[in-house]
Structure formats: C-alpha cells, structure tokens
Amino acid sequence: MKVLNVFWWLAYVCIAIFLQLFISGVDFFLPGIIVALQEKKITQFGVVFLLFVLIQEGIGTMPFGNVFLWYSLAIIFFYSWRWFFEIESFTFILLLSAALAVSHYFIISVLAEIQDIYINYKSLQDESVYQMFLTPIMWHTANYLRRGFRYVPQD
C-alpha cells in the first residue's frame, strides 16, 4: 500500500503544478499540507512538507524562504486551533484558509519590502482572496480522494 501512497502524492504534485500554471499566485500545495497534517503520519508529513517547500521555493520569484514561513504558519495555526474545532470540519478549513490568506498578504508584503522588490499590492490582494476561496475547495477534493489512504497502515 505504500507504493500507492507515493503515487497518490506524486499525482497530487503534478496536478498542483498544472493548476498553478493557470492560476498564478495561488498555492495549490497548501491543501496537501493540510491533508498531510490531518493524517497524523509524521514521516509522510515530513516528506510532503520538504518536497512542497523545495518545489515552491524553486519555482518562486523571491530569494528568501517565504514559502517555508507560510507553511510553518499553517502548521502553527493547525495545531493551535485543533483544540477548538474538529480538524476535518469545513468551518475549521474556512477559518484556516482565511488566516493563511491574510498571513500570505503580510508575509509577501514584508519580505518584498525587506528585499527591495517591487510588488503590485492590488494583485497581491487578489491572489490572497483567490487563495482564501480556492483552498477549501482543493482541500475538500483532496480529502475526498484521499479517504481510501487515510487509515491504511503504512509499511
């Protein structure tokens, strides 16, 4: 079953990269991070996190680790809010995606200012809003497709 798990994540990576080609500025890897966190498999999460950070930092335009910072905030928000919400509820995902969209705006704004990079704030605001609305949709799709792999013991 481990091989199918690897193929599922590779398929997710291919789909996320494909979608990012058409909707620039929206991170389609973020819902995968959330799904990996919900599965509570530390090794799997570590590999997925590292792979997603390397891909995003490699194709990104900023020379500093904004993706690592943003994904780390996702982990912090996830673990600090799981005490108040059911982690697979749509309300939790909506709140998480809203918080991450706002944090995305501020992280990019601050790092662009520090690195003296020009940024169009209207486009950044639009990207953050798209991220807020597309994250729950992508999470729901990935979570639904992932159900068969969720509780299968890994070798």
Side-chain angles (χ1 to χ4, degrees), residues 88-139:
E88 292 196 25
S89 72
F90 203 68
T91 305
F92 176 73
I93 299 302
L94 286 174
L95 179 64
L96 186 61
S97 66
L100 289 172
V102 171
S103 65
H104 172 73
Y105 181 85
F106 286 111
I107 288 171
I108 299 297
S109 298
V110 169
L111 291 180
E113 188 68 32
I114 290 172
Q115 298 171 22
D116 200 28
I117 298 173
Y118 170 76
I119 192 158
N120 183 347
Y121 287 99
K122 177 63 176 145
S123 295
L124 180 59
Q125 181 182 6
D126 291 344
E127 291 171 4
S128 296
V129 170
Y130 294 150
Q131 185 74 51
M132 182 174 64
F133 288 117
L134 290 175
T135 297
I137 294 167
M138 283 296 297
W139 166 82

Side-chain angles (χ1 to χ4, degrees), residues 11-32 56 59 130-131 134-135 137-139 141-142 145:
Y12 183 86
V13 166
C14 292
I15 291 168
I17 291 172
F18 179 76
L19 290 173
Q20 282 188 200
L21 290 173
F22 293 105
I23 305 174
S24 65
V26 177
D27 186 350
F28 287 99
F29 289 102
L30 182 64
Q56 286 292 72
I59 62 176
Y130 294 150
Q131 185 74 51
L134 290 175
T135 297
I137 294 167
M138 283 296 297
W139 166 82
T141 304
L145 294 173

